[in-house]
Amino acid sequence: MFHREANVRLGDHRLRNAHSVPWSIHAVTSVPVSQERLRERGFNQAEVLAKGLAASIKTPYVPLLERNRHTNKQSFKSRMDRLKDMEGVFGALQHAPEVLRSISKQGAANIGSPEEILPIMGPLRILLVDDIYTTGSTINACAQVLRGYESFLEMPIEIYSLTWARS
């Protein structure tokens, strides 16, 4: 957990907690929207935010999730309805396991670079970006899908979330 005194350094994507322990994200991904919502908006807000952040912190943006079905806006539902409605909504894209394996073997800073390959020591850290946080049911559903690859990778996966707003 980060303390309030955390120092965020976007230039090199390392965060330091109050004890000056380096911490980094290995990949950035976003919550996918349904085709209906994509037609309505014309773009995925979370994806735009995630790609911009990934570029600024020099960490790969990797699409890992797909939405299996459309859901109505969560803001109009009760907490219980939101939790129930999120069941089975998200799945992993077909290439997700191999992308995650590649990141875990090479480390985020080494992907696509000629530098020495340095595997990740410790958990694979993924930053999951969404536009609005209401109850956390969307983030939780996506995180469950991603953490399902821990046994495949034979390493723990930590999911961190970042949202643009809270409602």
Side-chain angles (χ1 to χ4, degrees):
M1 221 37 173
F2 285 103
H3 301 284
R4 289 175 203 225
E5 301 86 25
N7 176 24
V8 178
R9 295 178 52 199
L10 291 178
D12 64 4
H13 79 283
R14 287 183 297 164
L15 304 177
R16 297 189 181 273
N17 66 19
H19 305 289
S20 296
V21 176
W23 181 87
S24 63
I25 292 293
H26 301 112
V28 178
T29 195
S30 58
V31 173
V33 295
S34 66
Q35 288 301 310
E36 183 177 320
R37 190 82 65 233
L38 191 57
R39 281 191 299 276
E40 179 184 302
R41 291 182 185 161
F43 64 100
N44 177 349
Q45 295 167 189
E47 182 180 1
V48 171
L49 291 167
K51 284 181 174 179
L53 175 63
S56 74
I57 64 174
K58 297 175 179 67
T59 300
Y61 170 82
V62 288
L64 297 170
L65 299 164
E66 65 183 352
R67 186 176 282 259
N68 297 326
R69 63 180 168 82
H70 175 74
T71 57
N72 291 322
K73 292 184 179 181
Q74 299 298 302
S75 57
F76 300 126
K77 299 175 186 169
S78 71
R79 178 172 174 74
M80 287 307 293
D81 288 342
R82 290 174 189 164
L83 294 171
K84 194 175 195 177
D85 199 28
M86 285 293 110
E87 292 176 10
V89 171
F90 300 103
L93 289 170
Q94 187 174 2
H95 70 273
E98 290 309 315
V99 168
L100 291 172
R101 182 180 301 250
S102 175
I103 292 168
S104 71
K105 298 276 187 234
Q106 296 180 20
N110 299 303
I111 291 178
S113 71
E115 298 173 12
E116 180 183 349
I117 294 175
L118 300 170
I120 293 171
M121 303 305 285
L124 175 65
R125 293 185 191 99
I126 301 171
L127 180 62
L128 176 61
V129 178
D130 198 5
D131 55 353
I132 307 235
Y133 181 96
T134 307
T135 63
S137 57
T138 300
I139 294 287
N140 186 49
C142 291
Q144 285 180 4
V145 171
L146 295 172
R147 291 209 50 222
Y149 287 104
E150 287 178 321
S151 61
F152 175 79
L153 297 175
E154 298 178 344
M155 71 185 317
I157 298 174
E158 292 179 354
I159 310 298
Y160 296 86
S161 66
L162 178 70
T163 54
W164 179 255
R166 172 142 188 175
S167 71

